[in-house]
Structure formats: C-alpha cells, structure tokens
Amino acid sequence: MKRSAALIKLSREHHTALSLALRIERGGDAATLAALQVKVPTIFREELEAHFQEEESSLLPQLLLAGEAALVNRTLAEHRQLRKLVDRIAAGDLASLPAFAEQLRAHVRFEERELFMVAEQVLPASPPPA
C-alpha cells in the first residue's frame, strides 16, 4: 500500500517490528529462545522505542487535535502494554516472548490498517513536525 510522504518512514519501520515478531514466533530450541530473551529488549530500546517516541511526539498529538482521541488512546495503551512486556522479558520472563510477538504483530496491523489510514484522511499532506 502506498503511504503518504508523512507516514513513509514510520510505515517502513514496521518491517523491523514484524521481523522481530516472526523470529520470536519461529522460536526454536532453548538456546535460541534464551538469545531472543536478551536480544528483544535491546532491539526494542534501540529501534522500536524510537519509533514509538516519534509517533507519540508528532503523529498522535496531531491526531488528537483532529478529534481522533479513541485511536490515539488505543495506540498509547498498546505502546504501554508492549513496553511492559519488554520489561518482563528483560527481567527474565521467557514466557512473555510469545505474547510480545503476538501483540507487536497486532499493533503493527492496527497502525497500518487503521491509524495510518485515518491519519492520511484527516491530517495535512506535509510531514508532521519532529
């Protein structure tokens, strides 16, 4: 799907999230899962957290001003839940990996199919301020 110029970067960054979810879902042996338990918090902090911060500081405030409070609230709630899961994984909770992968995939799907579609309809075509 072709994205507006304002959302291209955010949309492309979803590839990292989906790749991570797929790696977790494919799992593997205990050693692979233990490695993922270490890698997931690092990847989240280095790549996905910046994506969340960008959405929270530029896109979501604009959507809120455009009257899209329900979408903004859902996005923020999902960001909080994903952060909590990453914290649990970082604390050694291996059982949180599958839930994180499932919620991350669902979150990307929501953003691509709902949040970004609405943003393209209600926001100006110029990129949001960073």
Side-chain angles (χ1 to χ4, degrees):
M1 170 181 297
K2 188 166 174 122
R3 284 275 164 235
S4 70
L7 297 174
I8 288 174
K9 179 182 177 287
L10 291 172
S11 190
R12 285 184 182 152
E13 290 172 353
H14 284 154
H15 176 74
T16 299
L18 292 174
S19 294
L20 180 59
L22 182 60
R23 284 173 58 193
I24 295 167
E25 288 166 350
R26 287 186 176 160
D29 58 20
T32 302
L33 291 173
L36 281 169
Q37 184 177 2
V38 173
K39 288 179 184 178
V40 165
T42 301
I43 293 169
F44 186 87
R45 281 190 306 271
E46 292 176 357
E47 298 181 41
L48 301 178
E49 181 61 37
H51 174 90
F52 284 9
Q53 295 277 336
E54 185 173 345
E55 288 175 343
E56 291 169 3
S57 67
S58 63
L59 178 63
L60 297 181
Q62 289 185 49
L63 284 170
L64 192 58
L65 288 173
E68 298 296 337
L71 286 174
V72 169
N73 291 335
R74 176 177 172 183
T75 304
L76 291 171
E78 290 182 8
H79 286 184
R80 281 190 300 274
Q81 183 59 32
L82 287 162
R83 286 175 174 128
K84 285 179 187 176
L85 285 167
V86 168
D87 288 345
R88 291 195 337 226
I89 292 165
D93 182 7
L94 191 60
S96 290
L97 276 171
F100 174 77
E102 181 181 326
Q103 288 186 25
L104 184 60
R105 182 183 299 278
H107 179 68
V108 169
R109 189 177 309 120
F110 158 69
E111 286 192 350
E112 288 290 333
R113 294 180 183 171
E114 295 180 51
L115 185 73
F116 288 4
M117 298 290 276
V118 170
E120 288 178 320
Q121 294 170 5
V122 302
L123 299 180
S126 62

